[in-house]
């Protein structure tokens, strides 16, 4: 049983608003602007790993954001794919934040970030084997039990695959969902990057995804490095990824989307414009659907 | 190969300090479809991980980076990151042992002759970061200075603000740090052997304030951090203690006082 502060936002406007349309990944350099302007953004996603303290000035700023917007949590430190034991310190800190902010959901990645006595602070891919499937399923269940809620798991961008893998990534993810009841965060840019890096068809990958279980879609920019694509999160979403996104929204326009931008962070308005593009695509697909019904 | 062996082999091979044979062994477990070469697949991860190490340390140890130059700083940051044993996944705590690592380099590397002050400078930058991110004070159960007069000084314990950090250096590291903050031109920067006693804390506006203090105040605050009573702090010099206490309250280093009268003694 952990102890922590009582929820700081109960009864305030952000609470209870549904997560819909296109949100934006909250980054520290934008905080002041967001709190001054209160832009028309339906929700923000908080990078939990940057706020593992129990209190202090960083969390006071997030308190103010939470008073005005719904939040989701996104982390990189659960290391769901690691053969190490789960990090109790990390999970306790996340639970503490959940109690404080009541996010709509909590997500992390299908990857490992630490093993043995080392922490790599990067999302490393796992082999898609029966052993890994059983191991990761158990860990997701443990995390869900500990946090007391469903976990949302994201597909990662990758630059390597293992010969030992016996599942394709989409099959592995689908199996995880069936075994654990977890939800999915589908990063469409990651699908595109991986398709290029590993030579598969991105559209075929998407056909295998159980979209009823997808809580959220991520969109971000990548860098073309010639013989590979780097998931750099440092520029705008490319046309090819928008096309892939449109193909998904055609059938699932109600899934919330999020714009992620981490490096070479531009003015907040640039992110807003990316969100507008995503929202326009959703509106267009909704209109097409309505026309078809008529 | 089981999951642990696979992850261990991959990460050992990614370490630039490891042998080349490990790299070749790891290469054999990878699939290769697409335009990328197998070596490149591993090198992207090695580069990304090193990049996180360098970027994280550079955001805290800005003055050290400026003095060493980016390339040299990156070499040390890479080596520190790859050799560091896992503590937590909290990137805010990643730089904690970097000043100690720099101290080892200063002692052992001839190219760092003349940079003996660098370890203390790194320590100053780490303490600034620590102060910036520290918890807010918990004022529950604390009383202020006007309410302590009625208590026995042996039962009154000053509580210092959670953001307060103290640094004693035999170099003028504060001046060096300040010079780097003010100007890109660092041609006049050099370390003077002269004791620096520094206090670092966060003010009510959340700005981190660094102040030069004298050795008396430094010793007073150091002792107060150990959780001793006013009586113990006073020792043989109660007047001096009262002066120090008054300054500590004025400058916001003291958050308040805890009264501990102890459990009632029912022995008799």
């Amino acid at each position: 049983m952990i102890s922590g502060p009582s929820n700081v936002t109960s009864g305030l406007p952000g609470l209870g608003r549904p997560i819909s349309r296109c949100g934006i990944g909250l980054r520290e350099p934008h905080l002041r602007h967001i709190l001054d302007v209160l832009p028309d953004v339906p929700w923000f996603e908080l990078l939990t790993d940057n706020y593992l303290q129990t209190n202090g000035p960083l969390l006071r700023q997030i308190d103010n954001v939470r008073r005005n917007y719904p939040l989701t949590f996104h982390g990189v430190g659960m290391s769901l794919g690691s053969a190490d034991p789960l990090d109790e310190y990390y999970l306790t800190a996340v639970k503490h934040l959940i109690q404080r902010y009541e996010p709509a959901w909590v997500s992390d990645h299908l990857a490992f970030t630490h093993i043995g006595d080392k922490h790599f602070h990067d999302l490393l891919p796992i082999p898609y084997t029966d052993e890994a499937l059983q191991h990761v399923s158990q860990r997701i269940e443990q995390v869900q039990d500990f946090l007391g809620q469903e976990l949302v798991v994201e597909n990662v961008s990758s630059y390597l695959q293992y010969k030992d893998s016996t599942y394709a990534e989409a099959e592995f993810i689908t199996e995880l969902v069936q075994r654990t009841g977890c939800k999915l965060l589908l990063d469409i840019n990651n699908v595109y990057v991986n398709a290029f890096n590993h030579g598969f068809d991105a559209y075929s990958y998407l056909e295998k995804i159980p979209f009823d279980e997808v809580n959220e879609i991520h969109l971000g920019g990548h860098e073309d490095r010639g013989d590979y694509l780097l998931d750099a999160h440092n520029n705008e979403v490319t046309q090819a990824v928008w096309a892939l996104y449109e193909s998904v929204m055609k059938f699932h326009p109600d899934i919330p989307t999020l714009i992620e931008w981490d490096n070479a962070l531009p003015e907040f308005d640039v992110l807003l414009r990316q969100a507008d593009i995503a929202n326009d695509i959703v509106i267009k697909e909704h209109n097409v659907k309505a026309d078809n019904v008529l | 190969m089981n999951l642990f062996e696979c992850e261990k082999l991959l990460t050992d091979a990614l370490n630039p300090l490891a042998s080349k044979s490990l790299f070749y062994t790891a290469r054999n477990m990878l699939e290769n479809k697409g335009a990328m070469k197998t070596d490149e697949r591993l090198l992207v991860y090695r580069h990304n991980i090193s990049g996180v190490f360098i970027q994280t340390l550079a955001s805290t140890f800005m003055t050290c980076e400026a003095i060493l130059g980016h390339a040299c700083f990156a070499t040390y940051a890479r080596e520190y990151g790859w050799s560091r044993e896992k503590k937590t996944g909290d990137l805010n705590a990643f730089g904690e042992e970097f000043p100690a690592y720099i101290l080892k380099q200063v002692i052992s590397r001839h190219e760092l002759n003349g940079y003996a002050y660098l370890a203390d400078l790194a320590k100053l930058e780490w303490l600034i970061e620590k102060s910036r991110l520290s918890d807010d004070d918990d004022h529950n159960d604390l009383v202020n200075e006007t309410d302590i007069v009625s208590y026995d000084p042996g039962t009154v314990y000053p509580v210092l603000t959670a953001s307060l950090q103290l640094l004693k250096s035999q170099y003028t590291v504060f001046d060096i740090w300040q010079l780097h903050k003010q100007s890109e031109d660092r041609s006049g920067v050099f370390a003077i052997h002269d004791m620096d006693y520094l206090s670092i804390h966060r003010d009510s506006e959340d700005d981190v304030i660094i102040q030069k203090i004298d050795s008396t105040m430094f010793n007073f605050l150091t002792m107060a951090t150990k959780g001793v009573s006013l009586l113990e702090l006073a020792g043989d010099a109660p007047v001096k203690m009262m002066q120090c206490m008054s300054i500590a309250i004025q400058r916001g280093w003291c958050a308040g006082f805890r009264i501990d009268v102890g459990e009632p003694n029912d022995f008799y």
Side-chain angles (χ1 to χ4, degrees):
Chain A
M1 192 71 185
I2 66 162
S3 61
S6 56
N7 176 281
V8 295
T9 54
S10 295
L12 292 162
L15 204 66
R17 261 163 54 185
I19 300 295
S20 63
R21 301 190 290 137
C22 189
I24 289 177
L26 189 64
R27 300 295 180 264
E28 205 183 333
H30 291 149
L31 272 172
R32 180 64 11 234
H33 172 80
I34 290 166
L35 291 172
D36 286 349
V37 175
L38 296 179
D40 180 21
V41 175
W43 53 287
F44 285 102
E45 186 172 79
L46 183 78
L47 281 178
T48 41
D49 297 63
N50 293 344
Y51 302 94
L52 297 177
Q53 299 82 11
T54 49
N55 60 51
L58 291 183
L59 288 192
R60 266 186 274 120
Q61 285 186 304
I62 302 303
D63 291 348
N64 289 334
V65 174
R66 184 65 184 91
R67 287 190 184 99
N68 293 283
Y69 298 96
L71 289 179
T72 58
F73 280 4
H74 190 50
V76 292
M78 274 184 202
S79 202
L80 293 170
S82 175
D84 273 351
L86 283 165
D87 183 343
E88 207 176 310
Y89 164 83
Y90 179 86
L91 288 174
T92 303
V94 172
K95 189 165 181 172
H96 203 91
L97 283 175
I98 292 172
Q99 288 173 335
R100 186 173 180 123
Y101 295 120
E102 296 186 4
W105 57 74
V106 178
S107 62
D108 208 303
H109 300 81
L110 179 58
F112 75 102
T113 54
H114 59 80
I115 187 74
D117 62 352
K118 295 274 187 291
H119 211 297
F120 302 94
H121 302 285
D122 194 17
L123 299 163
L124 298 166
I126 59 169
Y128 298 133
T129 60
D130 282 322
E131 184 206 0
L133 183 61
Q134 194 182 340
H135 178 73
V136 178
S137 298
Q138 277 173 359
R139 285 164 78 83
I140 290 176
E141 281 168 355
Q142 280 176 299
V143 171
Q144 292 184 147
D145 286 347
F146 184 80
L147 299 182
Q149 61 187 101
E150 282 167 346
L151 187 64
V152 180
V153 179
E154 180 181 353
N155 59 305
V156 290
S157 57
S158 73
Y159 311 95
L160 62 83
Q161 287 181 314
Y162 301 90
K163 283 179 185 162
D164 280 357
S165 288
T166 50
Y167 294 85
E169 184 176 272
E171 292 164 358
F172 190 90
I173 286 172
T174 304
E175 195 64 35
L176 269 184
V177 170
Q178 280 170 5
R179 288 187 183 202
T180 65
C182 73
K183 298 292 180 188
L184 290 180
L185 192 170
L186 180 68
D187 189 317
I188 290 187
N189 180 59
N190 289 352
V191 173
Y192 185 81
V193 164
N194 290 359
F196 184 92
N197 292 345
H198 304 308
F200 65 79
D201 179 53
Y203 289 89
S204 304
Y205 177 106
L206 292 174
E207 280 169 15
K208 297 184 185 109
I209 292 296
F211 275 96
D212 288 347
E213 309 302 331
V214 177
N215 266 28
E216 179 182 352
I217 284 172
H218 269 183
L219 290 171
H222 62 254
E223 247 180 55
D224 189 341
R225 296 281 181 96
D227 52 2
Y228 70 98
L229 301 181
L230 184 74
D231 180 29
H233 289 193
N234 64 353
N235 53 28
E236 294 182 345
V237 178
T238 63
Q239 282 310 314
V241 173
W242 282 125
L244 205 53
Y245 176 67
E246 203 164 340
S247 77
V248 169
M249 288 295 109
K250 199 170 192 171
F251 301 102
H252 312 282
D254 294 326
I255 300 176
T257 300
L258 183 108
I259 300 296
E260 270 192 316
W261 200 312
D262 291 289
N263 301 308
L265 200 64
E267 295 291 308
F268 187 74
D269 285 353
V270 177
L271 275 69
L272 269 181
R273 284 198 291 275
Q274 291 281 285
D276 285 344
I277 298 173
N279 285 326
D280 287 347
I281 288 171
V282 172
I283 291 165
K284 187 180 124 194
E285 296 307 336
H286 265 296
N287 290 342
V288 170
K289 259 187 152 178
D291 287 348
N292 288 343
V293 171
L294 291 172
Chain B
M1 192 181 295
N2 66 28
L3 185 64
F4 176 82
E5 290 164 344
C6 171
E7 292 180 347
K8 191 77 176 65
L9 174 58
L10 175 71
T11 52
D12 284 348
L14 293 180
N15 190 335
L17 311 171
S19 71
K20 283 205 166 137
S21 66
L22 264 175
F23 190 86
Y24 297 138
T25 312
R27 208 169 57 173
N28 289 334
M29 70 176 175
L30 304 184
E31 190 70 76
N32 201 12
K33 289 177 190 161
M36 269 177 107
K37 294 183 182 72
T38 321
D39 285 3
E40 208 173 8
R41 294 181 184 278
L42 290 168
L43 291 173
V44 171
Y45 283 104
R46 177 182 286 180
H47 182 77
N48 284 354
I49 294 167
S50 294
V52 174
F53 295 159
I54 295 164
Q55 202 181 341
T56 305
L57 293 176
S59 67
T60 298
F61 301 96
M62 284 176 275
T63 313
C64 290
E65 187 194 14
I67 288 170
L68 289 168
H70 179 72
C72 182
F73 179 83
T75 304
Y76 293 142
R78 213 177 283 125
E79 189 182 284
Y80 169 78
W82 283 102
S83 59
R84 182 176 185 261
E85 286 199 0
K86 179 178 77 181
K87 296 276 166 38
T88 75
D90 186 354
L91 267 180
N92 288 331
F94 181 68
E96 194 168 9
E97 301 92 21
F98 193 62
Y101 166 84
I102 288 290
L103 180 63
K104 271 190 200 161
Q105 309 316 308
V106 165
I107 293 167
S108 62
R109 295 192 192 226
H110 67 86
E111 71 264 27
L112 289 180
N113 279 345
Y115 288 90
Y117 64 91
L118 206 60
D120 281 359
L121 189 60
K123 200 165 182 190
L124 172 61
E125 296 200 288
W126 174 249
L127 294 179
I128 292 169
E129 180 71 353
K130 208 172 161 187
S131 183
R132 186 178 80 85
L133 296 175
S134 63
D135 282 356
D136 291 331
D137 292 322
D138 180 1
H139 289 277
N140 285 337
D141 303 326
L142 292 189
V143 296
N144 63 34
E145 70 271 22
T146 52
D147 296 329
I148 60 172
V149 284
S150 55
Y151 292 95
D152 172 354
T155 65
V156 179
Y157 295 81
V159 177
L160 300 182
T161 180
S163 69
L164 182 69
Q165 307 293 330
L166 299 167
L167 177 66
K168 176 177 163 184
S169 172
Q170 53 179 318
Y171 305 98
T172 53
V173 285
F174 179 60
D175 295 340
I176 299 169
W177 179 81
Q178 217 172 18
L179 257 168
H180 277 268
K181 288 297 255 192
Q182 285 165 357
S183 165
E184 283 299 302
D185 174 19
R186 292 173 294 272
S187 51
V189 172
F190 55 94
I192 299 169
H193 275 276
D194 191 7
M195 294 305 287
D196 246 2
Y197 296 95
L198 303 174
S199 75
I200 301 132
H201 82 290
R202 207 172 61 224
D203 69 6
S204 55
E205 303 290 311
D206 286 335
D207 291 323
V208 175
I209 309 293
I210 306 155
Q211 289 166 297
K212 281 192 178 197
I213 54 179
D214 62 22
S215 60
T216 307
M217 181 54 81
F218 182 87
N219 293 334
F220 170 81
L221 291 171
T222 303
M223 203 166 164
T225 57
K226 292 175 183 157
V228 296
S229 70
L230 284 182
L231 189 68
E232 291 164 286
L233 272 172
D236 298 333
V239 175
K240 193 170 266 182
M241 185 277 285
M242 288 309 287
Q243 286 168 344
C244 285
M245 197 70 252
S246 160
I247 295 170
I249 292 165
Q250 239 176 45
R251 297 202 182 177
W253 298 328
C254 178
F257 297 87
R258 184 170 53 82
I259 309 295
D260 188 358
V261 289
E263 292 297 312
N265 188 338
D266 56 0
F267 181 77
Y268 297 103

